[in-house]
Amino acid sequence: MEGGGRPSAAQAGLLAASTALTALVYSVYRQKARVARGLEGARRVRLDGDLRAVLLEAPGRCVPYAVIEGVVRSVKETLSSQFVENCKGVVQRLTLQEHKMVWNRTTHLWNDYEKIIHQRTNTTPFDLVPQEEGAGVTVRVMKPLDAAELSLETVYEKFHPSVQSFTDVIGHYISGERPKGIQETEQMLKVGTALTGVGELVLDNTTIKLQPPKQGMPYYLSGVDFHTLLQKQESSVRFWKILTVVFGFATCTVLFFILRKQYRHHRERRHLKQMQDEFRQAQERLMREMNAEGGETLKNACVVCLSNTKSCVFLECGHVCACNECYWALPEPKRCPICRQAISRVVPLYNS
């Protein structure tokens, strides 16, 4: 603690950082909890012949947040894999990723580093249809790339290692970067994949559409069932809740430490003030008694103990105010009780 009982700069900085982290983690936890509650409260609808009637009865022919499960089917044409024969899909993502080792000058270690140097995503319109054939109900999926969780299957992956000469190796050690190679990946949402869609379900003329919700809730196109998706979100909520409790406890601990220091400082100051008041009252009482006995005795009495005779001259201030015992009892560095000036030396006083 600094003077006056104020917390030090380090303590104040630690409390501010801990509070900010707690607030940040708590805001993430609230967002995750809101998403989990919204997902739990989403209306589950079946992809069957009654779906159109459900939307006709809904306000504005819209279910703001609905869960629907179906199988992917392309509307017109499909996308073909560039590497795998007879692999058809409706979303295709091609990625080139660079892998290299980078020298860390702090830890003096080589660390893995990955960087996407090129990525292209192709899409074609597709529907969700019932798993049973012949139901005749389809849901058009809008803006699939906006989904928070789009399940793409990796259909092709190949790593192309870098070919390096001896000169290249020397140059890489000097520059601090060692290329490892390029990884080529193709991911697809294949036709026939079972999807769980969570979003806004709307009847637009004769077309039923699943699109991103307008209430700020996340849009999902997941390959897992709804129960698994909900469990995943609830697990994330529990993790951020525990993190919030941990950071909150740390903040409370820091705050308790600072308040305890302030309380101790305040208690010490109060105790010191109480001692000073008692000493002043004792001085006043003794002075009254000595005034009643005679002024000459009070005039030559030590100002500290008020019992012994003054026997010291303090230099350089020149005050004669204390006895030898009280001088030696003064705390270091010794200062004159009258003017608080430092005492450089003491001359004994002899009364004739």
Side-chain angles (χ1 to χ4, degrees):
M1 303 293 287
E2 294 180 348
R6 297 188 302 272
S8 65
Q11 291 172 340
L14 181 60
L15 180 61
S18 180
T19 304
L21 284 174
T22 303
L24 178 62
V25 172
Y26 177 68
S27 65
V28 176
Y29 159 70
R30 287 193 60 184
Q31 173 66 20
K32 296 288 185 181
R34 186 179 71 88
V35 170
R37 287 195 303 268
L39 195 60
E40 188 176 4
R43 181 176 178 180
R44 301 194 65 176
V45 295
R46 293 179 60 85
L47 192 55
D48 54 19
D50 297 333
L51 179 58
R52 191 176 300 273
V54 170
L55 291 174
L56 286 173
E57 295 175 358
R61 297 184 176 184
C62 171
V63 178
Y65 209 47
V67 180
I68 192 165
E69 297 178 352
V71 176
V72 173
R73 187 182 70 181
S74 62
V75 176
K76 295 180 180 179
E77 58 182 13
T78 58
L79 301 173
S80 299
S81 171
Q82 294 187 4
F83 306 98
V84 182
E85 294 183 1
N86 300 322
C87 183
K88 304 291 184 179
V90 293
V91 179
Q92 179 188 46
R93 179 171 293 164
L94 301 170
T95 305
L96 291 178
Q97 190 175 39
E98 179 187 14
H99 292 257
K100 60 182 178 181
M101 304 288 287
V102 178
W103 177 255
N104 191 318
R105 291 181 174 83
T106 304
T107 61
H108 299 286
L109 296 173
W110 289 96
N111 298 326
D112 289 324
Y113 178 79
E114 299 176 358
K115 177 183 178 182
I116 296 177
I117 57 179
H118 178 73
Q119 188 175 77
R120 185 177 80 250
T121 303
N122 303 318
T123 62
T124 187
F126 67 95
D127 293 337
L128 289 181
V129 299
Q131 295 184 357
E132 300 83 6
E133 296 291 339
V137 180
T138 62
V139 174
R140 181 66 51 83
V141 178
M142 311 299 296
K143 300 181 180 179
L145 299 183
D146 291 349
E149 184 175 328
L150 179 60
S151 297
L152 298 179
E153 179 183 348
T154 301
V155 297
Y156 176 81
E157 188 174 19
K158 186 175 182 180
F159 184 76
H160 304 275
S162 299
V163 179
Q164 303 175 16
S165 64
F166 179 75
T167 306
D168 294 333
V169 173
I170 298 300
H172 297 156
Y173 272 97
I174 295 175
S175 64
E177 294 186 359
R178 293 164 48 189
K180 297 173 63 178
I182 302 295
Q183 184 171 346
E184 189 175 16
T185 306
E186 182 183 26
Q187 297 173 299
M188 296 190 71
L189 178 58
K190 296 194 295 185
V191 174
T193 303
L195 275 188
T196 300
V198 184
E200 183 182 67
L201 202 61
V202 60
L203 178 60
D204 185 7
N205 295 327
T206 60
T207 305
I208 302 175
K209 297 180 179 179
L210 179 67
Q211 59 191 18
K214 298 182 177 64
Q215 300 176 347
M217 297 298 292
Y219 181 38
Y220 292 102
L221 291 173
S222 177
V224 300
D225 60 273
F226 176 70
H227 181 68
T228 304
L229 183 62
L230 182 59
Q231 281 188 333
K232 182 179 178 181
Q233 295 302 319
E234 291 175 345
S235 175
S236 177
V237 170
R238 286 193 296 270
F239 169 77
W240 285 101
K241 183 178 182 179
I242 293 173
L243 212 58
T244 301
V245 172
V246 170
F247 277 98
F249 179 76
T251 302
C252 292
T253 302
V254 174
L255 182 61
F256 172 76
F257 176 77
I258 293 177
L259 292 178
R260 187 181 66 172
K261 286 287 187 180
Q262 287 183 325
Y263 171 73
R264 287 182 174 180
H265 180 80
H266 174 72
R267 187 175 61 182
E268 291 174 358
R269 287 177 59 87
R270 186 175 59 183
H271 182 63
L272 179 61
K273 185 176 182 301
Q274 182 180 359
M275 292 179 60
Q276 290 175 343
D277 292 341
E278 292 176 355
F279 181 71
R280 185 173 59 254
Q281 292 173 3
Q283 281 185 321
E284 291 174 354
R285 184 171 60 255
L286 186 57
M287 290 176 65
R288 287 194 299 268
E289 293 175 356
M290 297 181 69
N291 278 331
E293 295 176 359
E296 186 64 25
T297 305
L298 178 63
K299 180 178 179 181
N300 294 326
C302 171
V303 298
V304 179
C305 63
L306 297 177
S307 57
N308 297 331
T309 304
K310 300 174 183 177
S311 59
C312 298
V313 181
F314 296 151
L315 299 178
E316 303 293 333
C317 64
H319 283 121
V320 181
C321 58
C323 63
N324 187 62
E325 290 80 0
C326 291
Y327 163 71
W328 287 109
L330 291 175
E332 297 291 343
K334 297 184 185 298
R335 296 182 179 275
C336 175
I338 302 298
C339 64
R340 307 304 298 164
Q341 185 175 342
I343 301 173
S344 60
R345 59 195 181 97
V346 178
V347 176
L349 177 66
Y350 299 98
N351 292 324
S352 57

